Amino acid sequence: RRLLPLFLGLFQGALLLFFALFVTYDEPSVQEENANLVANKVYSTFPFFQDIQVMLVVGLGLLLTFLPRYGLSALTHNFLLLNFSMQWALVLQGLFHHFHHGQVQLDLHKVLISEFAAVTVLISVGAILGRTSPCQLLIMATCEIPVYLASEWVIINCLGVLDVGGTITIHVFSCYFGLGVSKALFRTGQQPLHPKETPTPRSDLMSLVGMLILWVFWPSFVAVLCQPGDAQHRAILNTLLAMSAGAITTVVASSLLERDGKLSPGHLQNGSLAGGVVIGVVADMAIPPVAALALGSLSALACVLGFRFLTPLLGRKFRLLDQCGIHNLHGLPGILGAAASAVAILVASKDTSTSHFSQLSPAGGNASEAVEEQWGDREARGQALSQVAGLAVAMGASLLGGLLTGATLRLPCLAQPPQRLCFDDSLHFKIQDQAEGLEPGSTTEEGALALKERI
């Protein structure tokens, strides 16, 4: 009970000291042209930033409320982890990438990048949702952010991977980090089905509303870091097409997999978003519209089939717990997107007029077509291999980091909740109905058990 406020209080106090000593804003632009440039950049970025805020705070939070008696905890822990991870990422990025002359100059772009780092934590938590304490989640975020920043630097800066929408760097990484944590934390075997795990119509409805909010704002998440103009326009269109095709394919697949033809709310809540995951890595590339539709359909199909067949198989064979099915929504579409990016790069090199790589030709614009095409093919093969290597780095680094983090979360001082009190808001919050029914001197655990018996 005292560990959570102590941990957060010390963290916020240390952050206040860091900001007081080292963080400042960019110097104001004196020249009118520079001032207009900065203003235009802010006005063009902030609407996307607001959309992403709605996605993470409202959409993702509601998506996690499918557990009927854990909705308050899911929403609150999601909100807490977002703020904690974003501030922690700001500190680490400022120290290692933006520390100049003893100062870190803060701007909207750095905050946006820090929120992308926080997204990895919000996704990874889905694997262990409901079976962990808030302190365990905060320690998990503390460990995951530096591992993510290091792997992203290797993938983007060293390997030169193209991934504007974070398919590899965010979705694949966060998926396998969460699965690694789950495997190490619950190493005794597959957890038995908890009586509070079964969704209700009301909890499924709330989760479905979260999916709809994510679906509407997802193009902003993919396109915010694209170059304004054609690339950003293409990224928005490709994302819309992929997600639309994914939504329809989810309905088709879910209906065909059920004997009575009814739809599964879990399939709708996840499969409808798979198109946004898969398209991120190729969103700004010169791919035809039909490719975006095909990728959206394939990712949704993989997601639905993963929920129906792969998740039970991983539970039986590998004793792997994946509470929210993040492997189906983020892992499988992420791998599909990485493979699609390698294929798209190789195909694009055949047409140097539409290839991203012809613009990078060292021979310049006056080179002969044969020389330019030969260089483009060689560059495309190297870039395609880089995409595959980036996928391998993301999976390897995240699994290793997740396993080590999961082992750390087993420390007794982090107060993992007992099995009988999992998936219950009453363990973390003062519930009014519960408070009225308790006798004087009753403990919180006794109150939770009494509430369970009464319901």
Side-chain angles (χ1 to χ4, degrees):
R1 293 299 171 185
R2 295 180 177 87
L3 186 59
L4 178 63
L6 178 64
F7 183 86
L8 286 176
L10 290 175
F11 168 78
Q12 199 63 60
L15 201 78
L16 286 171
L17 181 62
F18 177 81
F19 267 64
L21 295 177
F22 303 112
V23 179
T24 183
Y25 291 117
D26 285 337
E27 294 294 332
S29 301
V30 178
Q31 297 183 1
E32 183 177 352
E33 293 182 0
N34 293 335
N36 291 334
L37 183 63
V38 172
N40 291 334
K41 187 176 181 180
V42 172
Y43 296 149
S44 63
T45 303
F46 191 64
F48 287 105
F49 182 81
Q50 285 181 305
D51 292 350
I52 295 171
Q53 290 281 82
V54 174
M55 285 180 64
L56 302 182
V57 175
V58 185
L60 185 55
L62 288 176
L63 186 68
L64 300 177
T65 60
F66 64 94
L67 298 170
R69 294 173 59 183
Y70 199 71
L72 187 60
S73 299
L75 276 169
T76 306
H77 293 164
N78 179 77
F79 184 58
L80 173 63
L81 286 171
L82 172 63
N83 287 279
F84 177 87
S85 303
M86 184 268 290
Q87 293 186 53
W88 179 226
L90 271 177
V91 170
L92 293 179
Q93 288 190 107
L95 287 175
F96 294 108
H97 298 300
H98 310 297
F99 200 76
H100 303 293
H101 307 293
Q103 292 289 327
V104 177
Q105 291 189 340
L106 191 63
D107 58 26
L108 184 60
H109 184 264
K110 293 183 179 67
V111 175
L112 178 63
I113 298 301
S114 298
E115 290 222 337
F116 277 1
V119 172
T120 62
V121 177
L122 304 184
I123 295 173
S124 298
V125 163
I128 56 175
L129 185 71
R131 298 181 183 270
T132 47
S133 67
C135 290
Q136 286 179 307
L137 298 180
L138 291 173
I139 295 297
M140 176 178 172
T142 304
C143 297
E144 182 170 2
I145 293 297
V147 178
Y148 163 75
L149 293 176
S151 68
E152 186 210 27
W153 184 83
V154 171
I155 292 170
I156 301 299
N157 295 89
C158 297
L159 298 178
V161 172
L162 303 176
D163 186 18
V164 70
T167 297
I168 299 173
T169 55
I170 295 177
H171 294 285
V172 171
F173 175 90
S174 57
C175 167
Y176 289 99
F177 190 96
L179 294 180
V181 170
S182 178
K183 181 62 179 176
L185 182 59
F186 306 115
R187 60 187 181 186
T188 56
Q190 187 179 8
Q191 299 294 306
L193 183 65
H194 199 283
K196 303 172 192 173
E197 281 188 78
T198 306
T200 63
R202 182 177 180 180
S203 66
D204 271 332
L205 178 61
M206 293 295 292
S207 183
L208 193 61
V209 171
M211 180 277 291
L212 294 175
I213 294 173
L214 288 169
W215 194 95
V216 169
F217 290 108
W218 204 290
S220 296
F221 183 86
V222 174
V224 64
L225 294 181
C226 293
Q227 289 293 330
D230 289 341
Q232 199 168 66
H233 184 216
R234 188 185 304 118
I236 294 173
L237 292 177
N238 284 333
T239 305
L240 288 172
L241 290 175
M243 299 197 70
S244 181
I248 293 177
T249 304
T250 299
V251 174
V252 174
S254 180
S255 179
L256 291 177
L257 286 175
E258 299 294 334
R259 293 181 179 179
D260 53 6
K262 295 182 180 180
L263 301 178
S264 167
H267 293 166
L268 293 178
Q269 293 155 8
N270 293 273
S272 303
L273 302 174
V277 176
V278 72
I279 201 65
V281 69
V282 296
D284 63 336
M285 294 184 182
I287 62 173
V290 66
L293 289 171
L295 285 174
S297 296
L298 288 174
S299 63
L301 182 61
C303 181
V304 173
L305 292 176
F307 271 101
R308 184 60 183 271
F309 302 108
L310 186 57
T311 296
L313 179 65
L314 292 176
R316 291 194 307 268
K317 299 296 184 181
F318 298 97
R319 297 180 179 180
L320 182 64
L321 174 67
D322 184 3
Q323 190 66 48
C324 295
I326 61 173
H327 188 240
N328 306 313
L329 176 55
H330 302 278
L332 297 179
I335 294 172
L336 177 62
S341 68
V343 174
I345 289 167
L346 293 174
V347 171
S349 68
K350 304 301 180 183
D351 183 6
T352 57
S353 63
T354 60
S355 173
H356 288 283
F357 311 104
S358 62
Q359 301 173 3
L360 305 175
S361 173
N366 296 325
S368 65
E369 183 177 350
V371 173
E372 186 177 10
E373 183 174 356
Q374 182 182 5
W375 187 91
D377 288 342
R378 186 167 62 249
E379 177 73 11
R381 287 193 296 270
Q383 185 63 48
L385 290 175
S386 295
Q387 300 295 114
V388 178
L391 175 65
V393 169
M395 295 178 67
S398 59
L399 275 174
L400 180 59
L403 289 171
L404 294 176
T405 301
T408 304
L409 298 186
R410 294 179 62 86
L411 294 175
C413 63
L414 296 180
Q416 183 174 337
Q419 175 69 15
R420 65 181 183 279
L421 295 179
C422 291
F423 308 108
D424 201 324
D425 287 329
S426 62
L427 184 61
H428 308 293
F429 291 89
K430 183 177 180 180
I431 308 298
Q432 186 65 29
D433 293 339
Q434 173 194 350
E436 294 174 354
L438 288 180
E439 298 179 359
S442 299
T443 64
T444 304
E445 184 172 332
E446 291 171 348
L449 292 174
L451 181 62
K452 176 183 176 182
E453 293 175 358
R454 188 163 65 249
I455 293 178

